[in-house]
Amino acid sequence: MNLTLKVWRQYDIQDDGRLETYDAKDIPIEASFLEMLDIVNERIINDGGEPIHFDHDCREGICGQCSLTVNGIPHSKEQGITVCQLHMRKFKDGETIWIEPFRAKAFPLLRDLMVDRSAFDRIIAAGGFIDVRTGSAQDANNLPVAKTRAEASMDAAACIGCGACVAACKNASAMLFVSAKAAHLNLLPQGAPEKDKRVLGMVRQMDAEGFGNCTNLYECEAVCPKEISVENIARLNRDYAVALAKEAAV
Amino acid sequence: MSLSTCAPCLFWQSSIGKKIVVALTGAFLVVFLAGHLVGNLLIFQSSESFNHYADFLHTMLHGWGIWLFRATMLVALALHIIATVQLTAANRIARPTRYQKDATMVASRSSRLMIWSGLTILVFFVFHILHYTVRVDGDLKQLADFHQNWAMTVAGFQSIPVVLFYILAMGLLCSHLSHGVGSIFQTLGLRTKKSANVINLFSKAYAVVLFFGFISIPVSICFFGLGEKEMNETIQKVEAAAKAGLTSLPDAGDKH
Ligand code: HEM
Ligand code: SF4
Ligand code: FES
């Protein structure tokens, strides 16, 4: 199939950046989206040009490295997949495809389509962990956890930290990521003792990183490759208010 | 930004805290609007019950009630506006480079126009207060001085541009609330996967009921001549009384 690509090229954060147009001819329909970019890059390299830089690692939807905005939607409009799981059969022959980075002030651009998402690491370092060793995998039913809690925690734990929620949010808010990471631990007996400390630490780091404020648009949930629910955000709002009140009381 | 460490300061300075302020003040305004609508609809019942209701508002708690309410309202509105303007400004800064190809998956137009619908409502508020509370129009003021709030309201809606502005403002209020009411639940942490649909429905229904409820009054008066005859009679009585140097209508049942 033949496609026209409009790709964001930007040398570094100082550079203004611009959309450049590439003809992507004779792309096999069974190629994945990233393979399509590999083919285009190979041709650019053969012509002596600078290849399009983009992030990727596992290419099977588990690592959260790939981070492309396809036609204005992080990971593309397909539901519940990362962009590395996107295939060219989802596009029409002759289509024009816009490819841009994940855009947010808190994700400074490195080169072309690569952005620095270490703000997420700093949020995790501010509370997204358990301080003590909680032992190896428990024997089944050794540590009773209600099924609904276990499931809510597991659902939240599915977050791969890709940052699509931030990229899709009109306010570049990181609430879906932070709320998923907090809920994942807060809901389990191992994580519950440090719940307040975790929530305050993570939310404060989130604010310090310069992410925007949630206005309940739910764009994050719509693009999340792991379909993390905005119910986690409601939970975080509640937990934050309680934690702050407790902090003020002591 | 000053980094105070008192708990309310921390609350106000944090993203979630400020949104909770927006939600609580928004909820207060939402409850007020429901009450305001019910009271206003008395206009369809009779001039007596409407005037009686107006007098009650001005005399409850020995006249302190209305001022207590006005002060609360002013504080709530000020907090709501300051918080939302600050949040919106911070949100613009958080996305310095826009997408060349912008796309939206699920967010409604209303939800993305909150600051603009809100600011229009603010302009409307100022107009509405000058119109019916301060009464910059001398004729309306005279009717109010004689406790003829019903006739005052009917007289105020005789102008088509005024009524069109009310309809426009109520349209934007409807838009604001269709997103806002549901948002209250999410921001306060009361929305779950299970209740999401009911909350969305409630939010839209509330907004639509408020829209039709509020505009029914100016529309009936301006376009369907509601109360025109009685209003003219009242105006004549008030003018005659004013000429005679009286401060209330002789036959008015109300002695305030
Ligand atoms: C009668 C008047 C008003 C009512 C009943 C009202 C109600 C609400 C409600 C319920 C919310 C949702 C709160 C939440 O996010 O949880 C909201 C949000 C908002 N309001 Fe108002 N509001 C009013 C006036 C205004 C005014 C005058 C402004 C002008 C700046 C304004 C600007 C906003 C903005 C920008 C938001 C979005 C915040 C967000 O979505 O997170 N509102 N309003
Ligand atoms: S919540 Fe979803 S979109 Fe956001 S970082 Fe996690 S997996 Fe990615
Ligand atoms: S490359 Fe690992 S999730 Fe896409």
Side-chain angles (χ1 to χ4, degrees), chain B residues 87-106:
Chain B
L87 287 169
T88 308
N91 291 345
R92 300 273 153 93
I93 294 169
R95 162 91 24 83
T97 323
R98 306 183 61 141
Y99 286 103
Q100 303 288 304
K101 170 110 180 149
D102 205 10
T104 300
M105 296 281 278
V106 292

Side-chain angles (χ1 to χ4, degrees), chain B residues 208-250:
Chain B
V208 169
V209 167
L210 236 64
F211 174 74
F212 285 107
F214 276 127
I215 69 157
S216 71
I217 297 167
V219 165
S220 310
I221 292 170
C222 189
F223 302 124
F224 296 98
L226 176 88
E228 206 176 332
K229 188 157 157 278
E230 190 181 341
M231 171 193 74
N232 286 329
E233 288 166 9
T234 309
I235 290 175
Q236 279 168 9
K237 278 189 221 158
V238 165
E239 272 170 5
K243 263 202 203 108
L246 301 175
T247 53
S248 66
L249 286 190

Side-chain angles (χ1 to χ4, degrees), chain B residues 110-129:
Chain B
S110 291
S111 69
R112 301 174 57 197
L113 291 176
M114 289 301 272
I115 190 72
W116 301 115
S117 54
L119 288 171
T120 315
I121 299 166
L122 180 62
V123 172
F124 167 78
F125 259 27
V126 173
F127 177 82
H128 186 54
I129 300 284

Side-chain angles (χ1 to χ4, degrees), chain A residues 100 103 213 219 231 238, chain B residues 91 95 100 106-107 189 193:
Chain A
E100 294 178 67
R103 295 191 190 278
N213 309 290
E219 288 284 300
E231 185 173 313
R238 198 168 65 216
Chain B
N91 291 345
R95 162 91 24 83
Q100 303 288 304
V106 292
K193 266 187 228 177

Side-chain angles (χ1 to χ4, degrees), chain A residues 19 40 56 72 81 84 92 97 102 107 144 162 170 172 190 221 236:
Chain A
L19 275 181
V40 172
H56 63 100
I81 58 165
C84 62
K92 288 193 287 289
I97 306 174
F102 279 6
F107 289 166
C162 63
K170 303 292 175 195
Q190 294 95 331
E221 184 182 70
L236 183 67

Side-chain angles (χ1 to χ4, degrees), chain A residues 159-177:
Chain A
C159 167
I160 53 176
C162 63
C165 41
V166 174
C169 176
K170 303 292 175 195
N171 314 311
S173 161
M175 284 291 279
L176 193 64
F177 167 77

